[in-house]
Amino acid sequence: MSAARSTVMTRRQRVIGFALCIVTILLAVLDTNIVSSATVPIVRDLDPVHGVDNIPWLIAAYQLAATAALPLYGKLCDVLGAKKVFIGAVATFLAGSALCGMAGSMDWLIAARALQGIGGGLMSVTMVVLRELKGPGEKNGGRGGGVGGIVAGAGMALGPWLGGALAEHADWRWIFYVNLPFGLVVLAAAVRVLKLPVRTARRTIDFLGAGLAAAFSTTLLLVTEWGGKDHAWSSPLIVGLLVATVATLVLFVRRQATAAEPVLPLGLFRIRELRYGFAIQGLVGAAMMGSVVYVMIYLQAVRGIAASSAGLYLIPMAIGMAAVGLLSERLATAGWSQKTFVVSGTVSASAALALLATLSTDTSLWTVRLALLLMGIGFGQLVGQLVRLVQDTAPADQLGVATTGVRFFQTLGSALGAAFFGTVLSRVYAAHGPGGTTSTIGRLTGHARRQALDAFVTSTNVVFWTATGVMFLATVLATRLPTRREPEPLNPEPVRVRAEADPEAGASAGTPSLHR
């Protein structure tokens, strides 16, 4: 075999790689919610007659595809190396973005949105890349965990606003085309700069297990998307989807117990930190859905704030997440363990949800802003630290599946939270309202409207108290986390870096060596 030179990434290359990761995470976060504020011009342009009926599919296609691809992405990172998977995910995301922008019909746009969603799994792949960007001897408190809170907060606040602004002042197609210049720069720079470990050991990929995981997550998300809204819970369609969800889950678990290279090894759940980390992340996903969505509904339905203006109320939450992200490294240096971050984060989020549960029809809007700021402080500690906790304690050869597993459980938790909280809201409103559903509030007047608003506030209070209970359970689980132990060295198997021209290291060639 010809000799191949192995180079450790220089500090400059790692800084560039870190910047690339920030851009890709921001693009992924933005595209999860950027479409929601541009649905009206999209429908008006592509299908003004029947387009409204396809809006749920337009919004759900991205999430369904991104969630279904997660388990496979994690395994591919462990088998092929994170660089190849990262480049493939970015390329898929860009292809989907371009096709979305060129869409000539709603069906075309939905299909392209699904392709974009498959590439949208790059957020989890990027977290693997961030981990492997750490240089030899770099302390565990590095930048990877903090960036999660900063970028996620910025994306949540900017997504709806950016989508609405582009649709209003330019053209809705630019909410997709805007990804292309940034993504192409990321793609070119990643090929040139990233020098991550390449696995040399031959390992198989459990495509059957990945397919079962995709089928399970898809049917579950469809149940939560349609159940109780488009179709009754007792309808044949929902019952059939529930049966399919249970069946594919049973088959998936069985496959993971017998496959030589499972996409989500059951052995991970024997590790205490991972078992609790996955559970806490699922609960956090459910609580985040219950907070952000219903705060937006409260502001629009009860306080009469326009959708575009209501999105600006997420800025305090973004500020809280960003502030914690910036402070996390210093707090870790000051002695904050990952357990401390997780406990503090769940307590802060619980307090914020409890404050939201006290809202009335005339509560000061500064109370809402304060609650969302506190929410951001709580979630900002959880977003990065749970990923880092899992990465630190996962077996070295299962870093990818453990990292994507965190995101997988968060997504499933969000879906279940949306369905559960939606059912709670509907039931409480039906018991206290003037009749009809919450969607009829805008057409009511006089006493009936006042009664409807009071009933709706009562309903959201119950939702927020329920979400508080969910976060309290997450706090209990967080207190059971063991003290953080030193992580195992990554990549214990032989790895090599392809011989690439390195402008900072000269053109010499040598024998491959092991490195981080």
Side-chain angles (χ1 to χ4, degrees), residues 77-376:
C77 284
D78 291 334
V79 174
L80 303 178
K83 177 177 178 177
K84 290 181 179 179
V85 183
F86 178 79
I87 291 173
V90 173
T92 304
F93 179 80
L94 293 179
S97 297
L99 290 173
C100 284
M102 295 185 293
S105 67
M106 286 294 291
D107 290 340
W108 176 348
L109 181 58
I110 291 170
R113 183 71 171 154
L115 177 62
Q116 189 190 33
I118 293 175
L122 61 85
M123 182 172 180
S124 297
V125 177
T126 303
M127 298 308 293
V128 180
V129 174
L130 277 170
R131 175 61 183 232
E132 294 194 340
L133 279 174
K134 291 184 178 182
E138 183 174 338
K139 289 185 178 181
N140 213 23
R143 300 161 295 189
V147 72
I150 298 171
V151 180
M156 289 177 64
L158 290 175
W161 173 82
L162 181 61
L166 288 174
E168 181 178 351
H169 300 292
D171 185 278
W172 65 263
R173 297 178 188 274
W174 279 100
I175 69 178
F176 302 111
Y177 286 147
V178 74
N179 295 327
L180 299 182
F182 296 103
L184 288 172
V185 170
V186 168
L187 197 60
V191 172
R192 181 71 180 87
V193 174
L194 290 182
K195 293 178 173 60
L196 304 178
V198 178
R199 314 298 189 222
T200 57
R202 291 189 172 222
R203 297 170 61 183
T204 59
I205 298 175
D206 181 20
F207 288 106
L208 176 57
L212 289 171
F216 161 69
S217 58
T218 299
T219 54
L220 177 61
L221 290 174
L222 288 176
V223 167
T224 60
E225 181 70 23
W226 289 342
K229 290 173 283 188
D230 299 315
H231 304 276
W233 287 107
S234 58
S235 66
L237 177 61
I238 299 301
V239 171
L241 285 173
L242 285 171
V243 171
T245 300
V246 174
T248 51
L249 176 60
V250 171
L251 291 173
F252 173 69
V253 172
R254 182 178 179 182
R255 176 65 182 178
Q256 299 314 285
T258 58
E261 289 281 354
V263 293
L264 186 61
L266 300 183
L268 292 177
F269 295 91
R270 290 195 290 267
I271 302 174
R272 190 175 181 184
E273 294 93 333
L274 300 188
R275 184 168 65 249
Y276 285 119
F278 290 153
I280 293 170
Q281 190 75 310
L283 295 171
V284 169
M288 285 185 71
M289 179 61 66
S291 58
V292 176
V293 170
Y294 291 103
V295 166
M296 293 298 100
I297 295 175
Y298 165 83
L299 290 173
Q300 295 174 60
V302 178
R303 308 307 294 267
I305 298 174
S308 57
S309 299
L312 298 178
Y313 280 77
L314 292 178
I315 291 178
M317 184 174 178
I319 291 173
M321 296 181 75
V324 169
L326 292 170
L327 289 173
S328 61
E329 186 175 355
R330 292 186 178 183
L331 294 174
T333 303
W336 281 46
S337 66
Q338 290 165 343
K339 178 178 179 178
T340 304
F341 276 113
V342 177
V343 172
S344 174
T346 54
V347 169
S348 298
S350 298
L353 288 166
L355 182 57
L356 289 173
T358 66
L359 296 179
S360 65
T361 56
D362 57 358
T363 299
S364 170
L365 292 176
W366 284 104
T367 301
V368 178
R369 295 184 179 96
L370 175 61
L372 289 174
L373 175 64
L374 187 58
M375 185 79 64

